Amino acid sequence: MCSYFEYRKMMDTFIDILRQYPAIALFLTVGTGFLIGKIRYRSFSIGSVTAVLLTGVLVGQLRISMSGPMKTVFFMMFLFSIGYSVGPQFFRSLRGAGLKQVLFAVIMSSSCFGVTLLIALLLSYSPGETVGLFSGSQTCSALMGVGGDAISRLPLADAIKDRELSIIPVCYAVTYIYGTLGTVIILANFGPKLLGGLEKIRRQTKELEAKLDENSWESDPACVNALRVAAYRAYRVENEFFKDGKTVKETEAELKSQGLPLYVDRIKSGKRIYAANADRIIHKGDTAVLCGRREYIVQDHGLIGPEVSDEKLLSYPLEKIPVLVTKRSVTGKAASALSGQRYMHGIIINSITRHGSNVEISDDTTIEKGDVLLLTGHHSRLKSAAVHIGHMDRPTTSSDLMFVGLAIFIGGVIGAVTIMFGDIPVSFGTSGGALIAGLVFGWLRSKRPTFGHIPDSALWIMNNLGLNVFVAVIGIEAAPSFISGIKEVGPMLLVVGAIGTSLPLLFGLWLGHKIFKFHPAITLGCCAGTRTCTAALGAVQETLGSSLPAMGYTITYAVSNILLVIWGMIAVLIVS
């Protein structure tokens, strides 16, 4: 066994390594924080952000120096990813039925601002304490960075700025725990009771799901849809129609005359497999692959023969690729007319998406500019068809880093511009500029998917790693003053933080139910979204057994992410 002195020497060596190589300490903080964040008690966990922050405060007691722009780089990356993710919904919500949810988010986030500001003024909190209280009680982690950026630009002495910046994570950590736990309990446990009772809301939610034809499992990557729109099946050719041989073109014409718009995709004659060219002859005894939409191919095809299972014949690569409609020659055509075009031979229209929603496909469905057609077929055929339709948005695992870098650069430059209102300098800051850039460029990507592709997995890394590295650096940097900060702030902060969390939530439940008259599940989702509390959304969905609350979460989350940041900047200016 190691003696005390040997153990102390090992620990000193370990600490020296962390001090000499702060990047190692940073990864230790992030990894350990995520590990702690996975610990759950029923439906509650403190989450990775709080866990990383508290771990950073603990690691930071070793007095590890974090220098350079690392914190700012990762935070801008995080904010850009948020904007990019919600940009299309954000701009789409500015018109139509979503305007009610936008207005709800504006009013409720204003109550969050009003309650927090009133507390700060009554207790004479400093700018740093106000930012920490606001970001923690409202679970808006992004506000820590934006608020800190605003404080750093105030005309204060450097020592005072350092004190204010160091107190932010202390106040955040104290208030965030109830900010998350309180939101989860109020929305998932008390919310349904306040809105009419849990059983009643579950029944109403199932009724609305049936009306909307919502499938909550579709967002689960472990689930697949048993329904296949595009079908490929093999048939043994036995019908007398083929006694003297028929070409592929003649066969398809006969199928179409019977109301079956199907294609011959492959032919097996003997042991050889051939591509289904228009002049290829099909004889009795051959095996042919027919393809088309499921509703046509399931009908009786006595014209061909019995269906067979031919693994070799059916084992070949196909592609399913979205194509954006941009060509005038396609705009205004019926789906049946488009399918009848020569360049669409052998290509199946799986789905049509318009403004983010699926459009029911029938022969009379009109194709509009901006629609996204999900097409299935051979690579060469899809490539040729895309030239006539618009732009092929081929799925890929790579990210457009040119787009990411230049977008954040543009947003940062815009955010760095300062406008003077009297003696008060006002700007979004580079972090706010990155968020705006994400919103705008995410929206542009949805309108014109010819550039700026970022896979969901890469976006997850930008979001989670960006935020948690930023929070880890904050915790490590602020750690030396953590104990003194707790003594200075006092336990009263926990109480007022709980008040700042609870009052806006109760107001939001009343507002959605009585004033906006939302469906109860949507009201709960709107409250979770306005509070930007994903943990609460998950808890609500678990309580109701439905993903329907997410319909109220997306728009309010997008709007509130912007407004809470703006309210935080205003709060800093007022209390300073």
Side-chain angles (χ1 to χ4, degrees):
M1 294 180 63
C2 295
S3 67
Y4 169 78
F5 295 103
E6 290 174 330
Y7 173 78
R8 182 62 183 269
K9 184 177 180 180
M10 290 172 57
M11 288 301 300
D12 288 342
T13 301
F14 175 69
I15 293 171
D16 287 340
I17 290 174
L18 295 182
R19 287 172 176 169
Q20 188 175 356
Y21 302 99
I24 298 177
L26 184 62
F27 282 109
L28 172 65
T29 301
V30 172
T32 305
F34 267 86
L35 176 63
I36 296 172
K38 288 180 178 293
I39 299 174
R40 301 183 64 87
Y41 177 72
R42 295 184 179 178
S43 62
F44 172 74
S45 71
I46 64 173
S48 62
V49 175
T50 304
V52 168
L53 177 60
L54 295 176
T55 304
V57 171
L58 181 63
V59 172
Q61 298 299 323
L62 304 177
R63 297 187 178 277
I64 297 170
S65 175
M66 288 284 172
S67 59
M70 183 186 302
K71 180 174 68 174
T72 303
V73 169
F74 278 92
F75 187 58
M76 291 178 70
M77 184 170 68
F78 158 69
L79 286 174
F80 175 81
S81 68
I82 284 183
Y84 183 92
S85 301
V86 303
Q89 300 99 308
F90 177 78
F91 285 103
R92 190 160 57 244
S93 71
L94 298 181
R95 62 180 185 273
L99 281 174
K100 289 181 67 177
Q101 293 187 18
V102 172
L103 183 58
F104 176 91
V106 171
I107 296 174
M108 183 175 166
S109 68
S110 299
S111 72
C112 296
F113 165 71
V115 170
T116 306
L117 182 61
L118 180 62
I119 291 172
L121 292 175
L122 289 175
L123 299 181
S124 300
Y125 279 168
S126 67
E129 292 168 338
T130 302
V131 170
L133 169 65
F134 202 157
S135 57
S137 64
Q138 309 307 323
T139 63
C140 183
S141 306
L143 183 54
M144 279 199 298
V146 177
D149 190 28
I151 290 174
S152 65
R153 290 184 279 109
L154 291 175
L156 302 173
D158 290 342
I160 297 177
K161 286 183 182 179
D162 291 341
R163 183 262 176 197
E164 296 300 328
L165 292 174
S166 65
I167 204 66
I168 291 176
V170 176
C171 297
Y172 173 85
V174 172
T175 56
Y176 185 88
I177 293 178
Y178 181 84
T180 301
L181 178 60
T183 303
V184 168
I185 293 175
I186 291 174
L187 293 184
N189 297 89
F190 295 111
K193 296 178 182 178
L194 294 174
L195 296 176
L198 180 58
E199 293 304 320
K200 179 181 178 181
I201 292 179
R202 282 178 175 172
R203 184 174 64 255
Q204 292 174 331
T205 300
K206 289 187 179 297
E207 291 172 355
L208 184 57
E209 279 184 331
K211 182 178 179 180
L212 297 175
D213 193 24
E214 280 283 313
N215 294 315
S216 59
W217 48 264
E218 288 185 340
S219 60
D220 187 346
C223 294
V224 294
N225 195 342
L227 176 65
R228 291 290 183 265
V229 176
Y232 289 75
R233 296 185 178 180
Y235 298 88
R236 183 180 297 113
V237 180
E238 294 183 355
N239 195 290
E240 288 300 315
F241 177 78
F242 297 95
K243 181 178 63 175
D244 299 321
K246 294 292 182 182
T247 66
V248 168
K249 185 176 182 179
E250 290 172 332
T251 303
E252 291 177 347
E254 181 64 21
L255 287 168
K256 190 173 183 179
S257 69
Q258 297 184 24
L260 302 175
L262 303 174
Y263 306 103
V264 180
D265 206 50
R266 287 184 116 193
I267 303 168
K268 183 178 180 181
S269 183
K271 294 185 177 181
R272 301 189 64 181
I273 296 176
Y274 301 94
N277 300 321
D279 56 354
R280 173 70 63 184
I281 303 295
I282 304 176
H283 300 280
K284 286 188 67 175
D286 291 347
T287 304
V289 174
L290 291 186
C291 66
R293 286 182 61 84
R294 176 190 51 81
E295 59 264 33
Y296 297 117
I297 209 164
V298 295
Q299 299 179 36
D300 182 21
H301 303 305
L303 174 65
I304 305 295
E307 184 176 1
V308 296
S309 177
D310 193 320
E311 184 175 338
K312 184 177 180 181
L313 182 61
L314 288 170
S315 297
Y316 61 101
L318 297 168
E319 293 184 350
K320 185 163 65 173
I321 295 178
V323 177
L324 176 70
V325 176
T326 61
K327 301 291 186 179
R328 291 183 178 179
S329 58
V330 175
T331 303
K333 282 185 180 295
S336 57
L338 176 62
S339 297
Q341 298 298 309
R342 186 174 181 180
Y343 55 78
M344 288 291 289
H345 183 268
I347 295 177
I348 303 165
I349 302 177
N350 283 62
S351 64
I352 301 175
T353 304
R354 183 175 299 155
H355 305 309
S357 301
N358 286 330
V359 176
E360 185 177 351
I361 300 178
S362 67
D363 290 345
D364 299 327
T365 299
T366 302
I367 307 298
E368 296 182 5
K369 185 175 182 180
D371 286 353
V372 177
L373 310 182
L374 186 61
L375 306 180
T376 298
H378 293 274
H379 170 75
S380 57
R381 291 175 178 172
L382 288 174
K383 188 175 181 180
S384 175
V387 172
H388 295 86
I389 297 173
H391 173 73
M392 177 188 292
D393 185 22
R394 186 180 182 82
T396 177
T397 56
S398 61
S399 299
D400 189 347
L401 292 181
M402 177 196 71
F403 168 85
V404 173
L406 292 179
I408 295 177
F409 163 75
I410 293 171
V413 170
I414 294 174
V417 175
T418 300
I419 301 176
M420 300 298 296
F421 287 90
D423 295 329
I424 302 176
V426 176
S427 75
F428 283 105
T430 55
S431 51
L435 178 59
I436 293 173
L439 286 169
V440 174
F441 283 92
W443 172 74
L444 288 175
R445 160 71 186 171
S446 69
K447 302 298 288 185
R448 189 76 177 182
T450 58
F451 61 91
H453 174 68
I454 307 176
D456 290 342
S457 55
L459 208 59
W460 188 93
I461 286 289
M462 292 176 66
N463 190 318
N464 287 272
L465 187 62
L467 174 60
N468 284 283
V469 167
F470 164 76
V471 168
V473 174
I474 284 181
I476 293 172
E477 289 182 337
S481 60
F482 180 78
I483 301 300
S484 61
I486 286 288
K487 292 180 179 178
E488 183 177 349
V489 172
M492 185 62 182
L493 180 64
L494 183 61
V495 176
V496 297
I499 294 173
T501 295
S502 303
L503 288 182
L505 282 173
L506 296 174
F507 171 72
L509 291 171
W510 174 83
L511 185 69
H513 183 56
K514 295 295 185 179
I515 304 301
F516 286 91
K517 301 188 183 303
F518 290 144
H519 185 281
I522 303 300
T523 296
L524 294 169
C526 285
C527 289
T530 304
R531 286 295 316 283
T532 65
C533 186
T534 308
L537 175 66
V540 168
Q541 291 183 149
E542 183 179 359
T543 298
L544 299 184
S546 169
S547 64
L548 199 61
M551 291 181 60
Y553 181 85
T554 304
I555 291 176
T556 53
Y557 176 86
V559 174
S560 195
N561 250 313
I562 304 297
L563 290 179
L564 287 178
V565 168
I566 295 175
W567 290 137
M569 294 171 64
I570 294 174
V572 170
L573 294 175
I574 293 175
V575 299
S576 61

